[in-house]
Amino acid sequence: MNILWFQSGGCSGCTLSFLGLEEMDLIEWSRSMQLNWLWHPSLTEHSGSETQAMLDAVLKDEIKLDIFCLEGSVIMGPKGSGRFHMLAGTETPAKELIERLSEKADYVLAVGTCAAFGGITASPPNTVEATGLQYDQNFAGSLLPTNFKSRAGLPVINISGCPVHPGWVAETIGLIRFQKLKTEHLDPYNRPRFYADKLVHHGCSRNEYYEYKASAVKPSDLGCMMEHMGCVGTVAHADCNERPWNGNGSCTKGGYPCVDCTSPDFGHLNHSYQETPKIGNIPVGLPSDMPKAWFIALSTLAKSATPKRLKINAISERIEISPEIKRKKL
C-alpha cells in the first residue's frame, strides 16, 4: 500500500511519537503491513525535486495513493489565503496541496489533535488561522467539507492525541490494511472506537485514591489529581492507562494530570491545565455518566471512610504507610 505522510502546522511531536512504535520496530512493522512510504519526514530520503515529482504523479493519478496522513493543523491564514504556509519551492499554499491529496486518497488520516481539530496550533489568538482537516474544534466542516468522504467512502479518520499514541496509528493502518475499518468503527468525532470508547481513568494507577477521594495537592503527591490538580481522566476518551506509553508510562502515572489531549477542545481552556475549576467545592468537570447529586453523595461518603493510609500517602511523594498485611484464616 502506498502511504504519504505530510506535515503542516505542528511541532513534529506525532512523528517523534510514531517513530517510537513498540510492537515491533517501525521498519519491520512497515514491511509486515506491506507499506510503501512515498514520503515521510523521517523515513524517506527523497530530494526536493524527487518529492515534487512524486506529488505531481499522485495528483495525476499516475501513482495510487492508498493512505494520506496529515500531521499538524491546516494553516488557512492570512484571510483564508493559506500563504502563511507555502509549499517550499512553489507558489502553492500547503492547504491547496492537502485538499488535492485528500481527494486522491483511499483513506485520509488526521494524525494528532492539531490535524484532527486544530489543537494547540489553533489556540487563541490563532493568528495563523489554524484549523483541523475536517473539523474546526467541535464543528464539522473545515478545509474539507462536512460531507467529505475519501475514495474508500470514509470521512477523515481523526486519530487525535497530543502527541498521538504510536499504537493508535499502527492499529488504524493495520485495520485499513486488512479492510476491517468501517464507518461504525468510528465515534461521533470520527475517532477510532478501539481507543476512543475507553477513558483515561480506566486502568489509572491512582484509582484507589480516586475511590476514597484522597486527593493530591501538589504535582509530586501520590493522590488522585481530579479534585485539585486539573486531571480530567474520568472524561477523557483514550486508553492511555491500558495501553501505556513506552510499555510502562502514562501522564497520570508520571504525576501529571490528564489534560484530555484527544478532545476537540484541547488547546482552548480558559484556565490552567493544572487547576480544577470548581463551583463551591464541586469540580465543574464531573466524571462521565455521573449526575452531580450522586457525585456529591458518593464523594462525601468516600471521604468519611478514607483509610488513614490513603489520606497520608495521597499528599506524600512516596508511600509513607504500607497496606496492612492480613493473614487469611486457613
Side-chain angles (χ1 to χ4, degrees):
M1 302 181 71
N2 289 332
I3 182 169
L4 192 159
W5 182 298
F6 189 86
Q7 285 185 321
S8 186
C11 65
S12 300
C14 291
T15 276
L16 288 175
S17 177
F18 187 48
L19 292 176
L21 182 68
E22 298 166 71
E23 282 78 359
M24 60 178 73
D25 73 75
L26 187 53
I27 302 300
E28 279 303 312
W29 172 81
S30 296
R31 288 176 181 149
S32 71
M33 290 290 117
Q34 298 179 352
L35 297 181
N36 175 38
W37 289 96
L38 297 177
W39 167 256
H40 184 285
S42 298
L43 298 177
T44 52
E45 299 177 326
H46 301 84
S47 66
S49 58
E50 290 170 336
T51 301
Q52 187 60 60
M54 178 274 296
L55 292 172
D56 290 342
V58 170
L59 295 175
K60 293 176 182 175
D61 287 323
E62 295 171 358
I63 295 178
K64 186 175 188 300
L65 181 57
D66 296 293
I67 301 174
F68 173 50
C69 301
L70 177 68
E71 174 187 3
S73 59
V74 181
I75 305 300
M76 304 290 283
K79 298 180 179 180
S81 68
R83 295 190 65 81
F84 277 153
H85 183 196
M86 303 295 288
L87 188 64
T90 75
E91 284 298 311
T92 304
K95 74 181 187 74
E96 291 185 15
L97 178 63
I98 293 168
E99 185 174 15
R100 296 179 66 190
L101 290 172
S102 298
E103 293 169 350
K104 297 293 182 182
D106 284 350
Y107 296 89
V108 179
L109 310 185
V111 179
T113 302
C114 288
F117 306 118
I120 289 288
T121 316
S123 297
N126 194 10
T127 52
V128 296
E129 301 171 29
T131 182
L133 185 51
Q134 196 175 13
Y135 271 81
D136 185 3
Q137 297 183 57
N138 286 290
F139 302 101
S142 183
L143 175 70
L144 301 180
T146 306
N147 61 355
F148 169 83
K149 296 285 179 64
S150 65
R151 290 185 171 183
L154 291 177
V156 174
I157 300 163
N158 291 319
I159 316 173
S160 59
C162 188
V164 71
H165 193 298
W168 301 343
V169 180
E171 189 165 336
T172 302
I173 292 174
L175 290 171
I176 291 172
R177 169 70 181 81
F178 296 105
Q179 300 182 340
K180 297 293 185 183
L181 188 63
K182 310 296 181 185
T183 303
E184 60 267 28
H185 299 141
L186 304 177
D187 82 343
Y189 287 115
N190 296 332
R191 300 174 296 194
R193 287 189 179 278
F194 65 76
Y195 82 86
D197 278 355
K198 305 288 184 64
L199 295 175
V200 172
H201 183 60
H202 300 159
C204 178
S205 61
R206 297 172 186 248
N207 275 350
E208 187 183 27
Y209 296 99
Y210 172 81
E211 292 166 1
Y212 287 99
K213 299 297 174 285
S215 299
V217 295
K218 61 182 186 300
S220 57
D221 290 345
L222 298 178
C224 176
M225 295 181 285
M226 174 194 171
E227 186 174 10
H228 304 304
M229 302 297 297
C231 185
V232 290
T234 54
V235 300
H237 289 248
D239 60 359
C240 303
N241 279 312
E242 292 186 348
R243 188 198 306 242
W245 298 71
N246 299 321
N248 189 43
S250 71
C251 291
T252 57
K253 192 171 183 179
Y256 195 84
C258 170
V259 296
D260 198 7
C261 71
T262 63
S263 165
D265 295 322
F266 181 61
H268 295 79
L269 284 186
N270 57 6
H271 59 82
S272 165
Y273 279 104
Q274 290 186 297
E275 167 194 346
T276 301
K278 301 174 185 176
I279 297 178
N281 287 322
I282 307 301
V284 172
L286 294 178
S288 293
D289 315 312
M290 174 71 77
K292 184 181 294 184
W294 290 13
F295 180 83
I296 294 172
L298 290 172
S299 179
T300 303
L301 181 62
K303 285 193 174 187
S304 68
T306 306
K308 179 182 178 182
R309 169 177 64 86
L310 294 179
K311 283 183 180 177
I312 299 298
N313 290 341
I315 54 174
S316 303
E317 296 180 3
R318 58 186 62 83
I319 292 176
E320 298 290 345
I321 301 178
S322 301
E324 178 184 348
I325 297 175
K326 284 194 173 182
R327 300 190 62 181
K328 295 179 181 177
K329 293 182 180 178
L330 301 177

